[in-house]
Amino acid sequence: MFNLVIFGGPGSGKGTQSDLLIEEYGLFHISTGEVLRDQINRGTELGKIADSFISGGNLIPDDLMVSILGKVLDENTDKIANGVIFDGFPRTIEQAKALTTLLADRNMKLNVVIGLEVNDEELTARLIKRGKDSGRSDDNEETIKKRLQVYHNQTSPLRDFYVNEGLYAKIEGCGTIEEIFANIKSAVASAKK
Ligand code: AP5
Ligand code: MG
């Protein structure tokens, strides 16, 4: 079993690279953003709560997010045998600590954190371009700005947290999708040694 976090700012390529990782390693993909958008599309109570945070570019409260993630893991015990890609989780130090516990409780552990490093100008350009047809309530100029602020204030401190844990693999996130994926595969291979 091999569990990884794919980490980076909004639009850094977490989803894009996850698709390639699924194909290469047969891992189970959990994007907390996708889990929440699915609830919004289905019009559930949770979806209504999530929408109020997402459309403003704010994070869903930690305790709610952690309980959702625990549920997703427990509903998919049959699918996670090869390992899991955590995409968009953790986003706060609190969530990172909770992840360690969620995994330990299930006899699992984190093997590597793939950190996609992309500058704000490139992130903004990618998201504005995608916003033309993504239908995502958070892909507009104002919310993108807020998402970047939230990323720098609440999420980027996780980089040092995982550097200290010896789990952080820095990946240059600008370049072609194929080049970036080749670097990710090298980082995975090193983490497997
Ligand atoms: P989430 O869905 O996780 O969104 P995000 O982090 O803002 O990132 P994106 O999904 O927009 O981008 P990505 O990194 O996946 O990049 P992608 O591959 O799509 O979260 C949304 C919201 O949900 C949060 O703001 C929060 O409100 C809530 N939420 C989620 N998780 C939470 C948590 N744990 N706690 C609390 N709240 C939470 O690529 C982006 C674009 O760039 C695409 O168009 C793609 O084609 C393009 N692209 C990809 N790679 C390249 C490349 N190499 N060169 C050029 N273009 C590229
Ligand atoms: Mg994504």
Side-chain angles (χ1 to χ4, degrees), residues 10-11 13-16 32 37 58 60 88 91 95 130 147 175:
K14 300 183 294 293
T16 303
T32 43
R37 282 188 291 277
N58 294 303
I60 272 73
R91 269 177 141 92
Q95 290 182 16
R130 188 181 67 187
R147 285 158 73 192

Side-chain angles (χ1 to χ4, degrees), residues 128-179:
I128 285 183
K129 187 169 170 215
R130 188 181 67 187
K132 290 186 179 131
D133 52 23
S134 71
R136 273 178 60 163
S137 66
D138 57 351
D139 277 351
N140 58 76
E141 210 164 329
E142 194 191 333
T143 311
I144 291 166
K145 227 182 248 168
K146 178 72 187 186
R147 285 158 73 192
L148 282 167
Q149 266 173 20
V150 167
Y151 174 73
H152 289 297
N153 292 336
Q154 295 181 254
T155 306
S156 67
L158 283 176
R159 186 186 188 282
D160 282 349
F161 178 90
Y162 283 122
V163 167
N164 284 334
E165 302 257 306
L167 288 172
Y168 190 83
K170 174 190 154 112
I171 302 288
E172 169 55 56
C174 288
T176 69
I177 290 166
E178 295 73 24
E179 276 164 6

Side-chain angles (χ1 to χ4, degrees), residues 2 11-12 15 38 42 49 60-61 69 71 93 99 106 116 133-134 162 166-168 171 187 192:
F2 190 85
S12 57
D38 179 54
R42 284 163 37 199
I49 298 169
I60 272 73
L69 185 70
K71 240 183 247 166
I93 299 283
L99 180 61
R106 291 163 181 78
L116 296 171
D133 52 23
S134 71
Y162 283 122
L167 288 172
Y168 190 83
I171 302 288
K192 281 188 168 176

